[in-house]
Amino acid sequence: MPIGLIALALGGFGIGLTEFGIVGLLPEIAADFRVSEPVAGYLVSGYALTVAIGALALTAAIVRFDRKKLLLSLMVLFIAGNLISAVATSYEILMLGRIVAALCHGAFFSVGAVVATSMVAENKQGSAIAVMFGGLTVATVIGVPLGTFLGQQLGWRSTFWAISIIGVIALIGIQLLVHTSAGGAKTDLRSEMRAFREPQVWVSIAVGVLAFGGVVGAFTYIAFTLTEVSGFASSMVPWLLVLFGVGTFIGNWAGGKAADRSLNGSLIAIMAVLAAVLALFALTAENQILTLVSLVLMGTIGLATAPGLQVRIMQYASSAPTMAAGANIAAFNIGNAMGAWLGGLAIGAGFGFTSPLWVGSIVIAVGFLVLVAGTLAQRGRTAVPHAAEPEPAASTV
């Protein structure tokens, strides 16, 4: 793999830490700024909402510019947002820092995905995207414990200072290791918007919403499932969630490899297995041993969809992939919000703390049907636009 992908992965790692690292620090932040726990929680939900908006709006605004310069500019925005958070003197300024940092999230991954795939032959695109997203998945494993540890030892601001330093290192890495020819192509918004005339782009967006909605909806309330159903002590929950994080790392890598071999076929299989895993988790959640296994499988199978979905939408929008990739990132985050909302509705309706798992299974099953229908419809028109023969990879140094 080209070394430039490591620089993109490091940027993804920093962005992942920004998203997840604050979770364990909310009590300290709430106490420092004298706000309630739910208000402190808006720092997390506000970030996610901004990601969804920024993935489309910011990408649309910058799509005509040189892609390498865009990545560098986005990392500067990312560093600025975290510096604002580090020096915030009020809750409002901290929220502003979160919003500034979140704006770069979706655009970085949409532009970065285009750059990453331009570095390699077409039959390696899934693996290239998996490497870039690998930084994000590593952050899900260590983001909460690392951010919490730093914050508890040195104050919550230290977490944002550390993330800012990571951003500076990623900025230097992108400048030195990502060759201009790998991401130098320009386009314009009108050309990019033509991608949305392709029905399969909308199929990919819908599947992204449903796939991530199902997984994140179940994961949002997993602490309640683990303590109230499985019987684990609350002090065990952070360490149990590491199992999920480890699974996401494995799944991201395996999903990229599977997408390289068979794009639609692998996605269909993954969606079917994922729906079954969540249903089995719901049925066996009272058994602690099976719960441990289910956590790993939930992370592994759940994140295995990410590389394939990103490759799929970019291939069906091959002449204008940047906005389509941004739409895919937005779809993931819209799915996150939708899944959490549906899971909360199920719990509120009195269906118990396994109900988000059942809801997630149903949502993913719907996504499976959408993907199958879309794949069959496309086969009636033409073959999936996935090259069989590899082409020479672009130079990255």
Side-chain angles (χ1 to χ4, degrees):
M1 280 290 171
I3 193 171
L5 292 176
I6 303 302
L8 296 178
L10 183 60
F13 176 70
I15 290 172
L17 286 179
T18 300
E19 183 173 14
F20 302 114
I22 194 175
V23 172
L25 300 175
L26 292 182
E28 287 80 5
I29 292 172
D32 197 5
F33 291 128
R34 295 182 175 86
V35 298
S36 67
E37 288 81 358
V39 171
Y42 296 156
L43 295 168
V44 178
S45 56
Y47 183 97
L49 180 60
T50 305
V51 170
I53 296 171
L56 292 174
L58 187 58
T59 302
I62 64 179
V63 72
R64 67 183 182 277
F65 298 108
D66 177 270
R67 287 175 182 144
K68 179 179 176 179
K69 292 179 180 178
L70 282 180
L71 289 174
L72 294 172
S73 299
L74 289 169
M75 288 311 302
V76 170
L77 185 66
F78 167 78
I79 294 165
N82 281 286
L83 288 176
I84 292 171
S85 297
V87 302
T89 56
S90 68
Y91 173 86
E92 290 75 17
I93 294 177
L94 179 55
M95 178 63 83
L96 174 63
R98 296 287 289 168
I99 289 172
V100 171
L103 280 172
C104 84
H105 184 129
F108 180 86
F109 281 109
S110 59
V111 176
V114 177
V115 173
T117 55
S118 73
M119 293 180 179
V120 298
E122 280 197 72
N123 68 328
K124 297 294 184 182
Q125 288 182 350
S127 295
I129 289 178
V131 171
M132 186 187 69
F133 275 90
L136 183 63
T137 58
V138 169
T140 66
V141 180
I142 69 173
V144 173
L146 178 60
T148 302
F149 176 79
L150 282 175
Q152 289 176 346
Q153 299 300 313
L154 303 174
W156 62 264
R157 297 175 191 276
S158 64
T159 298
F160 291 104
W161 284 112
I163 295 171
S164 298
I165 293 171
I166 292 171
V168 171
I169 297 172
L171 177 69
I172 295 171
I174 291 170
Q175 174 63 37
L176 296 178
L177 302 177
V178 177
H179 195 272
T180 303
S181 64
K186 300 178 183 179
T187 184
D188 60 82
L189 182 58
R190 181 176 296 180
S191 297
E192 289 282 342
M193 292 304 292
R194 292 194 188 106
F196 295 97
R197 298 177 183 175
E198 168 56 56
Q200 291 300 319
V201 168
W202 290 102
V203 170
S204 296
I205 290 172
V207 175
V209 169
L210 295 167
F212 274 71
V215 173
V216 174
F219 182 68
T220 299
Y221 303 96
I222 200 66
F224 297 102
T225 306
L226 295 174
T227 56
E228 302 299 325
V229 181
S230 304
F232 289 103
S234 58
S235 60
M236 288 290 296
V237 171
W239 306 109
L240 292 172
L241 295 185
V242 170
L243 294 175
F244 177 86
V246 170
T248 66
F249 181 79
I250 297 170
N252 178 68
W253 174 81
K257 294 292 185 182
D260 287 338
R261 290 193 296 269
S262 174
L263 183 55
N264 281 329
S266 66
L267 282 172
I268 289 171
I270 291 167
M271 292 287 285
V273 173
L274 182 56
V277 164
L278 292 184
L280 288 172
F281 193 172
L283 289 171
T284 61
E286 293 182 358
N287 185 302
Q288 291 188 345
I289 300 298
L290 293 179
T291 293
L292 299 179
V293 175
S294 295
L295 277 173
V296 176
L297 290 176
M298 181 178 168
T300 302
I301 309 301
L303 263 291
T305 60
L309 286 172
Q310 192 75 311
V311 171
R312 189 182 196 277
I313 197 169
M314 289 169 61
Q315 288 187 346
Y316 282 111
S318 58
S319 62
T322 311
M323 275 299 296
N328 204 44
I329 299 297
F332 290 170
N333 283 274
I334 291 169
N336 294 351
M338 180 197 73
W341 175 67
L342 290 176
L345 286 180
I347 292 174
F351 292 111
F353 291 117
T354 60
S355 59
L357 293 166
W358 287 113
V359 171
S361 179
I362 293 169
V363 168
I364 290 165
V366 173
F368 166 80
L369 294 176
V370 171
L371 181 58
V372 170
T375 300
L376 292 176
Q378 179 61 22
R379 286 176 180 174
R381 293 172 51 195
T382 184
V384 176
H386 189 67
E389 295 297 327
E391 298 176 1
S395 173
T396 60
V397 294

